[in-house]
Amino acid sequence: MNSLDPIAVFRTEAAECLEQIEAGLLDLTHQLDDKALIDAVFRGLHTLKGSGSMFGFDALAGFTHHCETAFDRVRKGQAPATAELVAAVLDAQDHMRALVDDPNGNHEATSQRLLAQLHAAVGGAGDAAKPVQAVAVTAPVVTDKRKTWRIRFSLPQNAMINGTNPLGLLDELRDLGECRILANTSAIPPLSALVPTELHLSWDVTVTTEQPRSAIDDVFIFVMDDMQLDVEEIDGHAVAATPDEPAVSAAPQAVVAPAAPAAAEIVPVKREVAAPAAPVADQRQAKAAESVRVPALRLDELMDRVGELVIAQSRLSQLASASADIGLRSVSEEIERLSGELRDTMMVLRMVPVASLFNRFRRLVHDLARETGKVIELVTEGETTEVDKTVIERLADPLVHLVRNSIDHGLEPPEERLAAGKAEAGTIILSARQSGGEVIISIKDDGRGINRGRVRAKAESSGLIQPGQQLSDAELLQLIFAPGFSTAAQITNLSGRGVGMDVVKQTVETLRGTIDIVSLPGQGSDVSLRIPLTLAIIDGLLVRVGAGRYVIPLSAVEECLELSLEEDLRSRGRSFISLRDSLVPFLRLRDVFRTGTKPDVHQKVVVISTGTERVGLVVDQIIGDHQTVIKSMSKLHNDVAHFSGATILGDGSVALILDVVHLVAAGQQQEAHLRAAG
Amino acid sequence: MSGKARKSDNLWNGTHWNENGEVEVLTFDLAGETFALEAVMVQEILDILPETAVPGSQPFVGSVINFRGKVIPLADLRLAFGMEAAEATIDSRIIVIELDLQDEPTLVGLRTDKVNEVTTLAKASSEAPPSVGMRWRPDYINCLVKRGGEFIILPNLQAIFSARRNKALSA
């Protein structure tokens, strides 16, 4: 990876910029007259346009220009902010994303269509929608005050290295109006000392324009920080700078950064996330001040090293505890403490707030509401909850699917809701909270709930269950995760393609998570995903079965108890233990793993659970808890379902990590067999 | 089959003779036979390490080892060639190789009875495996190379590991 590739850096910046524009626009749909939001969107568009043209994304810059112009008019109070305008710019914003991703593709038709839409939205004001290639043509402002400005500016010597093109700046000044440009060559060194990549010219420009002073500042917006700029009016009229000028100049800091090589190699580690309504400028500045960016790959490498350190450290402490050397012991303890702290710090580095995930849904819900004609309110809770970055990335698609499902299948149309005595607007609550070593993300709606009859009918017709087969409610609900299952009577654009829920389940399971569904007819559904906080390290319970040692994820362990001799004998026929008046099926891991060894005298039962289901695992010995760095197994062992990974113990040997979900399923199956057998 | 998969087949399917018709190999013994692996794929030769059995896996790759902080599978070619499994001796070594499995470079340990030497074999003295009169599956062998009255076997690891995996998947 070439970390200095400016195009890649621009893309990262642009993606962030687009995200902020989108967030601003979505907020605007609720508060059309919020001046701060309008300014924020304008600044975002302006930044995107500027950096787009700086990096040669001319199509993007040209297109963005029109949206910016439209917002500029709103900002200056020349046009009202309307829902149509916001919707048009939202659509346009998607197109900008496409232009960023594929600048050379053929986007002309879409551009024209969106511009026409924008044109209609601003009510045919000015030439806002006329396709123009030039970048800095500001919409004609209704004023006949022509003023003459004298502009003196000089750029730092290294300006061109950073990607600034003085000719571009001069072109933009020329676009403002009548222009006379004089280059000041006095600073040019003798030829022998001249470095061709350095800039020694300064300029003296006289421009006569109808544009306000802020238009001149806009020309220099991206280089303002490092340059000397001197603007004065020379025709004698008193001029007041436009009041919102400071708002415009808030952006340069953030925009110059990508061009500077030192800052170019970085992606955000941790993003400061302000409340959605906070002005975008605040967010950007907070970010610039408080975060460093490093490639995710380097973080992963660091994570691996820390993992190995933890393993080496536990080997050291094992040696030290067997030694009588007090000095060695104290050093070992010191290192244990330090590596523990290092590990904790490392874990935090990888954590990002789920807000970055949730923010995408505001747009999705907005679009789906328009598509379905349903009135939907999206409530997000616990956005500051932090989860491993990898987890967030992998959860995005499953969550999209679940939210779509809730909207499409769950929420009723407004008439139906009113008839059922509910509020017209359906509510989707997207929430995240941490609980122990897990984070629970739930999607809750107040719609009609899952129609059991339909699920059953569908499952019977597609052969998943026998007609009339007895199923518990939980089992019935689990059917929606079966591959190829879909209850949508009519296949819609949104969901109901019959792929998805099974994929959702798979994805969650590969993250070592589980899904619980609660659904009350007429009152709505709640789908909860329980996901471990991190994929790299877990707390485990180390047990011995035969000669082998295995790790059970501690988050799944409910309790440990001894398998009494009489229970052991009694359970030959039926593998149940009674645990506080409820029967829990159990698996003898010695049999499951075919160790061929004799059981220990005092066998132990580790009761594990996934949500509501419990299974006991009979082991020979419980060794203790163990902090475990998870190593994945190779593809050669893909066929072994009992294990989710492996770990390296203090003595350097390998222990396998049990796949709890799989074992519980196996236990439940065994229970079902036993029940069926009578 | 995708173009990429075909390319990786080319990579390990068949021996990579250089322009002089030679190839550098590492030779080792298994149950009295001499085998050879192309030296480029060999990562490291290790003494016998503690193994961790993986219950429920194919016997051919029945365990894993800790290779410098990585957990890698340990394969026993004896079982692929239908030989008897044997206890480790003082000469036993593990050869760690890198292999493309489903287009992903994967480290795999191979159990051997004894590692001999790095040597150069000539294409001129190589033969395709005979289709009859051999105990082993012919598709598991790239070629046989005659040397000093003996045959050195160049196994087709790609075929061996893919066959095991497909079997595992269909099972």
Side-chain angles (χ1 to χ4, degrees):
Chain A
M1 179 179 92
N2 180 5
S3 54
L4 283 169
D5 179 7
I7 300 297
V9 176
F10 165 71
R11 287 217 164 94
T12 318
E13 285 286 326
E16 272 170 34
C17 204
L18 283 166
E19 250 170 54
Q20 283 167 357
I21 294 171
E22 183 172 74
L25 286 168
L26 290 168
D27 286 333
L28 261 185
T29 53
H30 302 296
Q31 307 147 291
L32 278 172
D33 48 357
D34 189 324
K35 186 98 176 61
L37 285 173
I38 293 168
D39 280 348
V41 171
F42 172 76
R43 272 197 305 275
L45 290 167
H46 189 84
T47 308
L48 187 67
K49 179 186 89 174
S51 50
S53 84
M54 195 189 298
F55 287 96
F57 286 72
D58 291 335
L60 173 72
F63 179 77
T64 311
H65 169 68
H66 300 294
C67 302
E68 183 203 354
T69 309
F71 256 86
D72 194 34
R73 289 170 50 81
V74 176
R75 188 175 67 117
K76 290 180 174 148
Q78 292 160 355
T82 59
E84 291 77 41
L85 175 66
V86 172
V89 180
L90 262 179
D91 286 343
Q93 191 254 139
D94 287 338
H95 184 55
M96 291 173 204
R97 199 158 278 167
L99 287 172
V100 170
D101 292 341
D102 179 18
N104 301 319
N106 184 11
H107 301 291
E108 199 49 40
T110 325
S111 294
Q112 294 299 342
R113 181 176 58 73
L114 289 168
L115 288 178
Q117 199 179 335
L118 186 67
H119 189 68
V122 293
D127 59 355
K130 200 168 73 188
V132 186
Q133 276 305 308
V135 167
V137 185
T138 320
V141 177
V142 196
T143 165
D144 49 15
K145 280 189 203 159
R146 286 165 63 94
K147 287 177 190 148
T148 304
W149 302 86
R150 182 174 188 165
I151 305 155
R152 289 200 185 92
F153 71 97
S154 61
L155 294 165
Q157 279 191 2
N158 62 359
M160 293 197 291
I161 296 169
N162 292 348
T164 310
N165 182 359
L167 292 177
L169 298 174
L170 294 173
D171 281 345
E172 286 190 42
L173 286 175
R174 276 194 200 102
D175 288 338
L176 292 178
E178 258 173 65
C179 198
R180 262 187 49 228
I181 299 170
L182 283 175
N184 179 353
T185 55
S186 60
I188 296 182
L191 194 57
S192 58
L194 184 72
V195 180
T197 54
E198 283 180 358
L199 182 62
H200 299 285
L201 292 172
S202 57
W203 287 270
D204 195 337
V205 182
T206 318
V207 59
T208 307
T209 177
E210 303 171 339
Q211 309 277 348
R213 157 82 197 252
S214 60
I216 297 173
D217 287 335
D218 282 354
V219 170
F220 296 102
I221 192 162
F222 300 111
V223 285
M224 196 100 83
D225 280 0
D226 300 321
M227 69 182 300
Q228 286 185 346
L229 177 65
D230 186 9
V231 183
E232 55 181 323
E233 196 185 343
I234 52 175
D235 62 354
H237 290 298
V239 175
T242 357
D244 36 23
E245 179 195 335
V248 182
S249 58
Q253 227 182 339
V255 184
V256 173
E265 48 178 314
I266 44 191
V267 282
V269 174
K270 182 171 174 179
R271 302 168 86 176
E272 303 301 322
V273 177
V280 174
D282 288 1
Q283 281 186 26
R284 293 200 71 112
Q285 272 161 8
K287 231 161 66 183
E290 292 172 28
S291 69
V292 180
R293 298 161 165 220
V294 286
L297 203 71
R298 287 195 197 162
L299 267 191
D300 290 345
E301 277 171 23
L302 185 57
M303 189 71 217
D304 278 354
R305 296 290 166 280
V306 171
E308 280 170 39
L309 180 71
V310 169
I311 290 163
Q313 175 272 319
S314 60
R315 204 178 317 176
L316 173 67
S317 71
Q318 213 167 51
L319 284 177
S321 62
S323 147
D325 187 334
I326 294 182
L328 177 65
R329 281 182 171 193
S330 76
V331 171
S332 160
E333 273 168 30
E334 181 85 10
I335 289 181
E336 182 170 351
R337 184 177 60 78
L338 287 173
S339 66
E341 285 171 7
L342 183 61
R343 193 199 54 226
D344 292 347
T345 317
M346 185 63 226
M347 302 309 319
V348 175
L349 279 189
R350 292 181 54 91
M351 303 294 236
V352 286
V354 291
S356 62
L357 183 62
F358 283 4
N359 281 342
R360 305 181 197 183
F361 292 102
R362 300 173 58 214
R363 175 66 191 275
L364 180 73
V365 169
H366 173 90
D367 286 354
L368 291 183
R370 283 212 307 185
E371 245 172 80
T372 56
K374 294 175 182 175
V375 188
I376 308 167
E377 201 172 314
L378 176 72
V379 180
T380 53
E381 291 169 359
E383 289 167 308
T384 51
T385 312
E386 294 193 329
V387 190
D388 192 290
K389 192 165 178 296
T390 324
V391 177
I392 292 228
E393 280 161 12
R394 295 221 229 142
L395 273 185
D397 287 344
L399 279 182
V400 166
H401 198 86
L402 291 171
V403 169
R404 277 170 176 256
N405 261 346
S406 284
I407 292 175
D408 201 31
H409 300 314
L411 295 183
E412 313 91 331
E415 319 78 76
E416 207 179 313
R417 290 185 65 87
L418 290 173
K422 295 187 193 177
E424 187 187 1
T427 311
I428 304 255
I429 302 175
L430 204 53
S431 72
R433 69 194 158 87
Q434 196 180 330
S435 143
E438 289 180 322
V439 62
I440 301 170
I441 296 180
S442 88
I443 300 105
K444 196 170 169 183
D445 65 64
D446 63 348
R448 51 172 88 95
I450 294 172
N451 184 331
R452 267 79 166 172
R454 213 138 60 138
V455 170
R456 178 176 274 280
K458 175 78 188 178
E460 283 175 3
S461 72
S462 57
L464 287 169
I465 55 169
Q466 297 301 315
Q469 188 179 337
Q470 284 287 322
L471 287 174
S472 72
D473 195 49
E475 282 169 326
L476 194 64
L477 289 181
Q478 286 295 324
L479 284 176
I480 66 173
F481 293 115
F485 186 88
S486 170
T487 55
Q490 195 184 1
I491 289 182
T492 70
N493 199 8
L494 307 182
S495 47
R497 282 167 305 249
V499 292
M501 281 310 254
D502 55 325
V503 178
V504 169
K505 189 174 165 112
Q506 269 174 25
T507 313
V508 171
E509 282 177 0
T510 57
L511 292 170
R512 302 200 318 275
T514 53
I515 306 184
D516 298 333
I517 304 184
V518 179
S519 182
L520 298 172
Q523 292 177 36
S525 317
D526 182 353
V527 181
S528 304
L529 314 182
R530 303 167 72 94
I531 312 282
L533 275 179
T534 167
L535 296 176
I537 292 185
I538 57 166
D539 270 319
L541 188 68
L542 190 62
V543 300
R544 185 175 59 79
V545 179
R549 283 178 293 179
Y550 302 90
V551 175
I552 305 173
L554 208 54
S555 59
V557 175
E558 294 232 311
E559 59 189 297
C560 301
L561 38 110
E562 196 157 315
L563 185 66
S564 63
L565 198 59
E566 99 194 30
E567 206 142 31
D568 188 20
L569 291 172
R570 189 153 49 92
S571 65
R572 290 286 170 221
R574 52 169 192 84
S575 296
F576 285 104
I577 46 167
S578 58
L579 189 65
R580 286 186 294 280
D581 298 334
S582 68
L583 286 179
V584 175
F586 67 76
L587 297 169
R588 293 169 195 277
L589 288 186
R590 249 179 315 101
D591 298 344
V592 176
F593 297 159
R594 300 200 185 89
T595 56
T597 54
K598 288 204 159 180
D600 267 33
V601 189
H602 301 290
Q603 296 181 82
K604 305 289 187 298
V605 185
V606 179
V607 181
I608 57 171
S609 83
T610 54
T612 49
E613 292 161 356
R614 287 192 297 181
V615 166
L617 302 177
V618 180
V619 302
D620 285 327
Q621 187 192 353
I622 293 172
I623 300 173
D625 66 335
H626 179 79
Q627 194 121 53
T628 299
V629 182
I630 301 170
K631 308 273 178 183
S632 55
M633 308 258 278
S634 76
K635 293 206 162 133
L636 289 174
H637 288 129
N638 270 357
D639 54 322
V640 188
H642 300 313
F643 308 107
S644 58
T647 183
I648 295 169
L649 300 177
D651 61 1
S653 64
V654 178
L656 302 172
I657 302 170
L658 298 183
D659 182 336
V660 172
V661 174
H662 180 86
L663 283 169
V664 169
Q668 297 291 331
Q669 228 165 37
Q670 187 176 0
E671 183 191 352
H673 280 309
L674 287 168
R675 279 217 184 111
Chain B
M1 191 187 272
S2 76
K4 210 176 168 197
R6 213 172 292 132
K7 187 180 149 229
S8 72
D9 277 355
N10 284 340
L11 204 59
W12 298 119
N13 200 359
T15 315
H16 298 91
W17 307 101
N18 66 11
E19 59 270 29
N20 301 328
E22 293 175 334
V23 66
E24 203 177 20
V25 296
L26 175 73
T27 62
F28 59 93
D29 290 351
L30 267 186
E33 305 281 351
T34 306
F35 286 75
L37 292 173
E38 285 179 43
V40 288
M41 65 193 302
V42 174
Q43 301 283 312
E44 200 153 337
I45 300 167
L46 306 170
D47 283 335
I48 292 299
L49 293 171
E51 297 171 15
T52 301
V54 180
S57 63
Q58 303 282 314
F60 167 60
V61 280
S63 57
V64 289
I65 53 171
N66 167 10
F67 172 59
R68 298 179 189 287
K70 293 193 181 78
V71 175
I72 67 169
L74 182 65
D76 196 340
L77 285 183
R78 279 172 173 265
L79 301 179
F81 285 98
M83 302 166 171
E84 290 284 307
E87 289 294 308
T89 66
I90 192 164
D91 284 330
S92 298
R93 295 290 180 274
I94 294 169
I95 303 178
V96 179
I97 57 167
E98 193 180 275
L99 201 64
D100 259 14
L101 289 180
Q102 288 167 349
D103 284 336
E104 204 174 276
T106 310
L107 291 172
V108 180
L110 297 179
R111 223 187 252 131
T112 65
D113 292 351
K114 186 182 179 193
V115 172
N116 297 323
E117 57 174 346
V118 175
T119 182
T120 305
L121 298 181
K123 190 178 185 181
S125 49
S126 74
E127 278 175 25
S131 48
V132 285
M134 219 174 41
R135 285 176 289 156
W136 311 309
R137 286 178 56 170
D139 58 322
Y140 280 7
I141 296 173
N142 272 339
C143 64
L144 303 171
V145 178
K146 236 182 303 177
R147 203 178 60 165
E150 296 261 317
F151 274 105
I152 298 178
I153 304 156
L154 272 74
N156 182 348
L157 294 177
Q158 195 66 41
I160 294 170
F161 281 94
S162 307
R164 296 287 149 172
R165 201 179 60 240
N166 293 342
K167 200 165 132 198
L169 288 180
S170 60

